[in-house]
Amino acid sequence: MAIFNLGSINIDLIYKVPHFPTAGETLTTRSFMRALGGKGANQSIALAAAGASVFHIGAANPDDSWLFDEMRASGVDITHVQESGTPTGHAIVSVNDEGENQILLHPGANRAIDIAAANAVLDQGVVGDWVLLQNETNGALEFVEAAKARGLHIAYSAAPFEEAVALALLPHCDLLIVNDGEAAALVKAIGAPLENLGLSHLVITKGAHGADYMGQYGTYHQPACTVDAIDTTGAGDCFYGYFLAGLAANEDISAILRDASAAAALQVTRSGAAKAIPLRQDVMAFVAANINDQW
């Protein structure tokens, strides 16, 4: 199955800090790194790393061609990434000594995508293929409606959380993955437990406390694997990519959850977001080494 991702592409400006600055504080950073990021790009790379066939639909300024090169080298089809006259989106990421992060996000070209052109790409899909989207681009509802009209499944990452967008997209979703904070915001918005939405697949990720699945395959809790985390940036995107890749390939749900959890665990032991996403062979070796001790 093919996966078409209407997703953001960002330049991540990553700073290691001794602590997060308070209001009015000037803080000297310990290190700096520039890297490919954005929830969309991260998820596309995770999908490709997991073995899925993924077509990324998005936009970036051609002056930042190194972003295109890195996505292509990671196995993502970028034929339909648009060259935009708008500056490429970027994120300023601070990472503290505990591996937690704070992020400032500028959408840039991610909110200037030609949605008519994006929708036309879906003509290449077949019934049963998947589309994926997050809350970092324009045109989400129009894209989803176009995908549904073509018989494609909808996977939605409701992050960064925007209540109005989430409520508009939820009725169309086949797969929703949210973290604890996003889940709480959604519950408040709809005034009912998320299980009441009747989604085919619902996953709530809980960091070190694992993940819960509810849907057509039953109810499962996936424990997290204990690792020494150095950077949690993009861990949720890594989990999402591996989970959707397994779901699209009709793998067993318990194996999908285990492998997605393992991929995220491996990723947080590395610095960065997209570049830290592990390949499938590394994930399977990690699973084999830890399955008796931690799962």
Side-chain angles (χ1 to χ4, degrees):
M1 292 292 180
I3 300 170
F4 299 90
N5 183 8
L6 177 66
S8 56
I9 301 171
N10 283 342
I11 299 171
D12 281 353
L13 306 174
I14 305 167
Y15 301 87
K16 286 292 185 88
V17 296
H19 61 267
F20 296 133
T22 58
E25 179 182 7
T26 298
L27 183 66
T28 299
T29 67
R30 291 175 171 165
S31 65
F32 166 73
M33 177 174 65
R34 186 189 72 167
L36 166 65
K39 296 190 72 64
N42 293 344
Q43 291 176 12
S44 280
I45 290 171
L47 282 160
S53 177
V54 55
F55 299 85
H56 194 94
I57 304 169
N61 191 287
D63 288 345
D64 302 309
S65 59
W66 62 275
L67 298 167
F68 305 134
D69 295 339
E70 289 197 17
M71 292 182 71
R72 189 184 298 110
S74 297
V76 178
D77 188 308
I78 62 165
T79 304
H80 307 293
V81 172
Q82 302 168 12
E83 294 188 352
S84 177
T86 302
T88 300
H90 66 268
I92 299 173
V93 183
S94 296
V95 182
N96 68 11
D97 289 342
E98 287 71 47
E100 297 298 325
N101 63 68
Q102 286 186 344
I103 302 173
L104 290 174
L105 179 66
H106 175 68
N110 297 316
R111 293 288 172 90
I113 297 170
D114 181 339
I115 293 300
N119 291 347
V121 177
L122 299 178
D123 289 337
Q124 300 178 24
V126 299
V127 174
D129 282 348
W130 285 83
V131 301
L132 167 63
L133 67 161
Q134 313 80 31
N135 285 345
E136 291 185 342
T137 69
N138 62 298
L141 182 58
E142 187 178 343
F143 185 75
V144 163
E145 290 172 341
K148 276 295 187 180
R150 292 162 172 79
L152 308 183
H153 298 306
I154 309 299
Y156 176 43
S157 174
F161 184 74
E162 294 184 27
E163 181 176 316
V165 177
L167 292 179
L169 295 182
L170 280 176
H172 304 284
C173 288
D174 299 289
L175 165 64
L176 173 68
I177 297 184
V178 289
N179 63 25
D180 262 341
E182 294 151 4
L186 268 178
V187 167
K188 182 179 179 180
I190 66 175
L194 296 187
E195 299 91 307
N196 291 10
L197 292 170
L199 296 168
S200 297
H201 310 283
L202 168 65
V203 180
I204 302 175
T205 59
K206 300 180 176 182
H209 299 291
D212 291 329
Y213 169 89
M214 291 152 279
Q216 67 183 46
Y217 297 127
T219 302
Y220 292 83
H221 174 71
Q222 174 62 48
C225 188
T226 302
V227 294
D228 293 325
I230 64 171
D231 186 354
T232 60
T233 308
D237 298 328
C238 180
F239 182 100
Y240 204 134
Y242 266 83
F243 185 93
L244 179 54
L247 194 64
N250 295 312
E251 296 175 6
D252 177 77
I253 188 64
S254 59
I256 295 172
L257 286 163
R258 180 201 65 202
D259 295 348
S261 179
L266 257 182
Q267 201 234 0
V268 302
T269 64
R270 306 169 177 181
S271 294
K275 75 167 193 171
I277 293 170
L279 297 174
R280 188 170 187 85
Q281 59 262 36
D282 296 328
V283 172
M284 299 318 296
F286 182 81
V287 168
N290 288 277
I291 194 165
N292 292 327
D293 293 335
Q294 306 215 43
W295 287 309

